[in-house]
Amino acid sequence: AETYIGWILIIVQERIKTHPSYFQILHNQAMMVTPNKKQTTEKNSNLFTEECDETAESIQEQLSRHCTWPWTDFFDSKMVFQTSLPAPLGPFQVGYLDLMTPGLPQDSSLLRIYYPAPSSTSITSPPLWADKECRAGMLRFIQMAAWDWPTWVNNSEFNLLFAAKKILLSPAGFLTGFSLGWPLIGTVRTIPIARAAPLASHVGSGWPVVVFSHGMGCNRFNMSQLCYQLASRGVMVVAVEHREGSGFGTFYMKGDTVENIPHLQVPVNEDEYRVRNKQINHRCQEVLRAIDLLVKINAGEAITNVIDKNNNAINSDLTILKSSMDLTNHLYLAGHSFGGSTVLLASSLDTKVKAVFAMDPWMYPLARQKFEIAKPTLILNTDIFVNPNNLEVINEASNNNSDVTFEVLEGGVHLSPTDLPMAFPTVLRKALGMKGKVDAEVTMVNINKIIWQWLKNLISYSS
């Protein structure tokens, strides 16, 4: 009862402070929220254009003006108002292609490829950040995690989650309560990217490439802001969708049939490590297969894309990416949480990988496995996720590597690098574990600045 009363009060509060006529203004301007920046053309600009000088505070003000939480009609999905995630801040717009190769999950790939598009590209039909099915999958994952919280993951940030668990008592009641609550208080977001957009002309040997591994309970587009912001600055970002059961739900094609892969609930018992270790080695192979696929695409080899059966063949033309990637000199890995440990493991298994960026790496799945961190590595932890057990595994694996740097993102929380905080009103984010001392929008800007600075330090560039 307290949970539902809280939701009602939030709805009333937001309705009072948000004027109805403002919704159309938001709709018209959401795609235009971007700081002033030096106007460039693809002819005289390159991927290493200097980053915007605006402070995080000014960006926060713009986001608060243009991305205010709108009213959504719970009872009629056709009337749900959609707003965009923050616009790309680099000199390029962002195109994307989804790619699924045929086969079972253990020998095929599902990827989203984000790439720089000409600045004149129109974003006319942006994809949803999470449709009804995705939201249902995320809620099932949250419910399972609340009853079987993973080892070495701090739960002190998620106050409302465990309070709701006590109030709603059972997993079924928990799932029902949150399923009713999300449409009432959540925001329907779109991602400001264009499917199958033209590829911007590159300089030198091709665009640098970052292969990205998501964390538990996510998929290839739940961390889209990290991916498309990098792409807007001239980086090819390839987001792997892991299909070993750690995501909130995914799928593969068996002939013409869609086979769903639900989230795998892992009890916290003596078998937990065995299951998680099997998962991380599966994930590692998915990252390595993605790299192999990129080599083939870059060489112009024909790739069968079975996801086109559902997308009217719009993703078929992978040839636009031929000779566009510098996989020889500038291939990097990045990941968050379970994805952070995944890329740390994968980095030592492919000589083409030059460096690794791991955010809040969850090292429990590798606690008993011998591996080596041999590449230049940046570990970015949020305040509370700095766990001695995670650090011990990293230190042991990097014992012979002097190029491992640790940084702490002050004011952030474990979910800060994800898009999830943008799906909820500010007043609820802290209780849901989505906001620390700094607002989610500002934290996301700061994370993107850290990642971009990391890449710029690795890549030789000219202004």
Side-chain angles (χ1 to χ4, degrees), residues 65-86:
R65 288 200 303 270
H66 299 291
C67 297
T68 304
W69 176 70
W71 174 257
T72 58
D73 194 319
F74 169 53
F75 299 102
D76 185 357
S77 61
K78 294 181 180 180
M79 295 178 62
V80 172
F81 186 78
Q82 300 175 1
T83 60
S84 175
L85 289 168

Side-chain angles (χ1 to χ4, degrees), residues 37 39-42 45 90-94 116-122 198 200:
K37 58 192 175 188
Q39 297 300 311
T40 60
T41 64
E42 277 66 44
S45 69
F92 301 101
Q93 291 283 20
V94 178
S119 60
S120 58
T121 302
S122 298

Side-chain angles (χ1 to χ4, degrees), residues 130-430:
D131 58 19
K132 182 179 180 181
E133 184 177 342
C134 288
R135 294 196 299 272
M138 281 186 267
L139 288 174
R140 284 193 295 272
F141 160 71
I142 292 170
Q143 174 254 303
M144 291 180 187
W147 263 261
D148 285 293
W149 197 256
T151 299
W152 292 10
V153 176
N154 193 303
N155 63 12
S156 62
E157 298 170 341
F158 304 90
N159 302 324
L160 182 57
L161 185 65
F162 291 98
K165 177 182 174 181
K166 293 179 179 179
I167 294 171
L168 300 172
L169 298 179
S170 70
F174 181 96
L175 187 60
T176 300
F178 274 74
S179 297
L180 291 173
W182 191 337
L184 285 170
I185 62 175
T187 303
V188 179
R189 293 287 192 181
T190 58
I191 308 172
I193 55 179
R195 186 164 61 180
L199 176 67
S201 300
H202 61 80
V203 295
S205 301
W207 302 114
V209 178
V210 172
V211 177
F212 186 85
S213 173
H214 65 74
M216 195 184 302
C218 294
N219 67 0
R220 68 189 186 281
F221 49 81
N222 280 167
M223 304 186 72
S224 63
Q225 291 182 78
L226 296 182
C227 297
Y228 71 70
Q229 293 295 1
L230 269 184
S232 77
R233 289 185 166 98
V235 180
M236 196 86 73
V237 183
V238 181
V240 178
E241 181 156 320
H242 294 292
R243 296 185 291 173
E244 86 306 353
S246 65
F248 65 74
T250 182
F251 67 103
Y252 68 98
M253 297 299 297
K254 188 176 182 180
D256 292 331
T257 305
V258 175
E259 297 287 341
N260 292 314
I261 304 172
H263 177 73
L264 176 65
Q265 185 166 10
V266 181
V268 182
N269 57 25
E270 64 276 5
D271 289 329
E272 182 187 11
Y273 178 79
R274 178 185 58 81
V275 175
R276 295 305 190 192
N277 182 255
K278 182 179 178 180
Q279 284 183 319
I280 198 168
N281 281 279
H282 180 119
R283 286 167 140 261
C284 177
Q285 291 303 313
E286 288 176 313
V287 170
L288 298 177
R289 281 199 298 274
I291 295 173
D292 291 341
L293 263 178
L294 295 178
V295 171
K296 293 178 181 179
I297 293 170
N298 210 37
E301 295 185 27
I303 304 294
T304 301
N305 190 0
V306 297
I307 207 170
D308 279 335
K309 294 181 179 180
N310 296 325
N311 284 339
N312 300 318
I314 198 168
N315 288 298
S316 290
D317 191 15
L318 294 170
T319 59
I320 66 170
L321 304 179
K322 179 182 178 181
S323 301
S324 65
M325 295 171 271
D326 188 352
L327 296 169
T328 302
N329 303 302
H330 297 305
L331 173 63
Y332 309 98
L333 302 183
H336 172 251
S337 194
F338 209 167
S341 53
T342 298
V343 295
L344 289 174
L345 176 62
S347 65
S348 63
L349 301 177
D350 195 310
T351 57
K352 293 186 293 298
V353 175
K354 303 305 180 188
V356 187
F357 182 84
M359 294 170 283
D360 271 354
W362 179 48
M363 303 307 297
Y364 174 74
L366 291 171
R368 305 173 200 168
Q369 178 174 333
K370 294 295 182 182
F371 73 105
E372 184 180 15
I373 300 173
K375 305 292 173 65
T377 301
L378 174 59
I379 308 291
L380 180 66
N381 279 121
T382 51
D383 292 317
I384 297 179
F385 206 82
V386 179
N387 183 301
N389 294 310
N390 289 317
L391 295 178
E392 183 179 349
V393 176
I394 294 171
N395 287 330
E396 182 177 346
S398 61
N399 188 46
N400 297 318
N401 185 356
S402 61
D403 198 357
V404 176
T405 304
F406 294 86
E407 292 187 16
V408 175
L409 180 70
E410 295 183 1
V413 294
H414 187 61
L415 292 177
S416 292
T418 74
D419 300 327
L420 196 58
M422 306 291 187
F424 291 92
T426 304
V427 291
L428 262 188
R429 290 176 185 173
K430 190 171 183 64

